[in-house]
Amino acid sequence: MLRIGEEIDAAFETVLALPDDPRAGLYRAMRHAAIGGGKRLRPLLVTAVAGLYGVDRAVAVRVGLGIECVHVYSLIHDDLPAMDDDDVRHGKPTVHKAFGEATAILAGDSLHALAFEILADPETHPDPFVRAELVLALARAAGPGGMTGGQAMDLEAERTRFDLATVTRLQAMKTGALIGAAVDAGLILGRVPPEARTPLRGYARDIGLAFQIADDLIDATGDEDVAGKKLRKDGTRGKETFLTLLGLDRARAQAAMLVDQAIAHLRGHGAEADVLRDIARYVLERDR
């Protein structure tokens, strides 16, 4: 994980080099959000899946960078006063606290656009059909049928009681869709036909839900200094979560079952998929 973090930071250093003009403040805000901190789970998944099929690592890292742009943009906007209203992210002030709300909005917008610029660039991949499929997969995962749709449902959860099925759908969209896009990106780069993608898509679905249950557990029982962000938010806002609906012990058991299930989806692969197995275990064991 350390290696992918360094690679993504270095890539952001390059694509977000400070311009010598009035846009410098915008770029500083983007760099503040994008460089340093974060688990880099999505780029790690791209490189791990692409590696199963012999894809050049530099290509996979660049695609992972594009997906990470969307993830970082979503965090900037999530932290805004109109959304989650957070002051700290990755142990430092959120972008709107450090640079103001207007610049934070523009920084998020810019990263969102940059994601698709990276994926559509011939420098990323020479095959236009591969680039088009990568763009489509990320657009679907980031839009109203994926991440932003889940975010809208999450806002509604502050006013409406959701049952377990609805919370599961919400989280599969808000958190799981972008994780699924990362796995899909590796499969696309590996030129795996759609009918052969089912096992790894099942893996992505299961670790996405396990990731969110772990997030709920961290929010309820974690250490803010370790997590690098404000905790206990969901309980304060009265939102239904996996934890409120299942209870602590059942939520932990459900997350463990999902991780076991995710690893079982990899049975068609040998030691070359050990990184993916380690990622599944890390999703459950993490404390931030």
Side-chain angles (χ1 to χ4, degrees):
M1 284 194 184
L2 179 61
R3 182 183 174 193
I4 191 65
E6 292 172 346
E7 288 171 307
I8 293 297
D9 275 356
F12 272 130
E13 289 278 2
T14 299
V15 299
L16 299 179
L18 285 175
D20 186 19
D21 62 36
R23 296 172 299 153
L26 170 63
Y27 274 76
R28 287 191 185 95
M30 294 163 73
R31 289 169 63 89
H32 178 87
I35 298 172
K39 294 170 281 295
R40 307 304 193 196
L41 174 64
R42 293 146 194 87
L44 181 61
L45 285 166
V46 178
T47 57
V49 174
L52 296 178
Y53 305 100
V55 176
D56 181 80
R57 184 175 177 87
V59 171
V61 169
R62 189 167 167 85
V63 171
L65 175 70
I67 294 174
E68 191 71 356
C69 284
V70 169
H71 176 57
V72 176
Y73 123 74
S74 76
L75 299 181
I76 295 173
H77 283 193
D78 261 354
D79 290 337
L80 287 166
M83 297 279 283
D84 283 352
D85 194 15
D86 275 321
D87 296 344
V88 178
R89 170 75 63 179
H90 300 147
K92 58 187 179 182
T94 49
V95 177
H96 71 275
K97 283 294 180 181
F99 297 91
E101 289 182 36
T103 299
I105 292 168
L106 293 175
D109 291 346
S110 297
L111 284 161
H112 182 267
L114 181 60
F116 295 99
E117 179 181 340
I118 290 169
L119 295 189
D121 190 336
E123 186 179 334
T124 298
H125 199 284
D127 188 332
F129 293 99
V130 168
R131 298 198 306 271
E133 192 174 358
L134 290 168
V135 167
L136 179 60
L138 183 56
R140 283 176 171 163
M147 183 185 70
T148 52
Q151 289 171 317
M153 291 177 68
D154 196 41
L155 291 174
E156 187 62 29
E158 296 181 16
R159 300 181 288 272
T160 307
R161 289 291 190 189
F162 285 171
D163 60 15
L164 183 59
T166 306
V167 169
T168 300
R169 181 176 177 231
L170 184 167
Q171 299 300 353
M173 294 166 68
K174 182 183 177 186
T175 302
L178 212 55
I179 288 173
V183 169
D184 259 350
L187 292 165
I188 292 165
L189 290 173
R191 300 181 187 269
V192 178
E195 63 272 16
R197 298 177 188 177
T198 301
L200 278 166
R201 283 178 166 170
Y203 167 88
R205 181 190 62 244
D206 290 337
I207 67 164
L209 287 174
F211 186 96
Q212 187 55 51
I213 294 174
D215 251 11
D216 290 350
L217 290 166
I218 291 167
D219 184 70
T221 66
D223 184 318
E224 288 190 355
D225 290 335
V226 174
K229 62 182 179 180
K230 185 178 179 181
L231 301 178
R232 326 287 183 245
K233 295 181 299 181
D234 290 338
T236 301
R237 293 173 179 173
K239 288 197 292 189
E240 299 291 0
T241 67
F242 287 115
L243 202 55
T244 63
L245 291 167
L246 295 174
L248 190 64
D249 291 341
R250 283 184 64 203
R252 283 188 175 133
Q254 180 71 10
M257 182 273 291
L258 286 164
V259 167
D260 289 343
Q261 200 167 271
I263 292 171
H265 285 300
L266 302 173
R267 59 183 170 267
H269 297 277
E272 73 277 9
D274 279 350
V275 172
L276 290 169
R277 295 182 182 97
D278 289 343
I279 292 170
R281 297 184 187 101
Y282 163 76
V283 160
L284 186 60
E285 295 164 1
R286 67 195 178 89
D287 55 7
R288 65 191 71 194

